[in-house]
Amino acid sequence: MNICVFLSAADLDDRYTRPAREFAKLLGKGGHTLVWGGSDVGLMKVVADGVQEAGGRLVGVSVEFLAARTRPVADEMVIAKDLAERKRLLLEKADAVVIMVGGTGTLDEATEILELKKHGKSDKPVVLLNTAGFYDGLKEQLRRMDAEGFLPRPLTDLVFFAEEAVGALAYLEESQGVA
């Protein structure tokens, strides 16, 4: 599978890097391809390193103003003209999406895929990997949106919440018939 991972490029502590490394190792060992923002810094680097070390492929999609931060060795690297094109290309190249810890850019990417799924414009499985309870507040907000009728489809049709890397990848593989 080509698995798009939305995540931070910030340098983060072990409570976030350790689970990210674990997910990356599982992804690479499973023979999957990481589709990511192409950056060779912070958590993006941690995940790319882990996937590559475990035998997986790397497909990066960066953007012109961040091109100097791209990973020098990837199986494929595309430079988009702007963030909107970058999101479109990341999703085009992916069979599934995992949302890991991140800032406003990650949140923007996450809401984009959820909005596409909500309107039936994507059927890609989406996992929100809630490392160290990072997304507890977002999870609660999405559940409230669902309960109060703001979502035309059940929340369970839009996103799967996983607390651990192994559960995230197992869900994706099962949803795509990969075992």
Side-chain angles (χ1 to χ4, degrees):
M1 267 189 301
N2 290 345
I3 300 174
C4 178
V5 178
F6 295 137
L7 73 164
S8 179
D11 289 317
L12 302 169
D13 67 42
D14 190 57
R15 98 191 119 133
Y16 299 120
T17 58
R18 183 188 40 74
R21 222 177 273 108
E22 178 187 335
F23 180 77
K25 185 177 178 181
L26 291 170
L27 196 151
K29 279 188 172 185
H32 303 296
T33 296
L34 171 67
V35 179
W36 94 117
S39 186
D40 202 35
V41 297
L43 198 60
M44 283 196 193
K45 178 179 178 14
V46 169
V47 171
D49 287 348
V51 169
Q52 204 166 43
E53 288 166 9
R57 294 184 70 248
L58 300 178
V59 173
V61 181
S62 190
V63 65
E64 287 177 0
F65 69 88
L66 295 174
R69 295 179 165 196
T70 58
R71 188 175 186 90
V73 179
D75 296 287
E76 179 184 341
M77 185 64 69
V78 177
I79 307 296
K81 69 179 188 284
D82 57 31
L83 291 171
E85 182 184 38
R86 180 191 202 186
K87 281 189 295 188
R88 182 183 58 76
L89 291 169
L90 284 164
L91 292 174
E92 276 179 12
K93 293 176 177 297
D95 301 313
V97 175
V98 174
I99 303 158
M100 296 179 78
V101 297
T104 55
T106 303
L107 191 55
D108 174 56
E109 293 161 340
T111 54
E112 174 96 7
I113 185 61
L114 294 178
E115 191 69 6
L116 290 169
K117 285 194 72 167
K118 181 181 94 173
H119 292 291
K121 300 297 181 188
S122 175
D123 62 355
K124 298 174 197 282
V126 176
V127 173
L128 193 144
L129 185 51
N130 191 26
T131 303
F134 185 80
Y135 284 121
D136 286 350
L138 179 59
K139 194 165 136 179
E140 181 180 333
Q141 185 62 47
L142 290 170
R143 286 183 173 155
R144 182 175 181 182
M145 288 175 185
D146 189 29
E148 295 186 18
F150 288 92
L151 304 177
R153 299 175 62 185
L155 182 58
T156 54
D157 287 357
L158 301 179
V159 63
F160 176 80
F161 298 105
E163 302 298 320
E164 300 289 333
V166 68
L169 190 58
Y171 172 81
L172 294 178
E173 288 178 340
E174 183 180 309
S175 69
Q176 296 294 295
V178 177

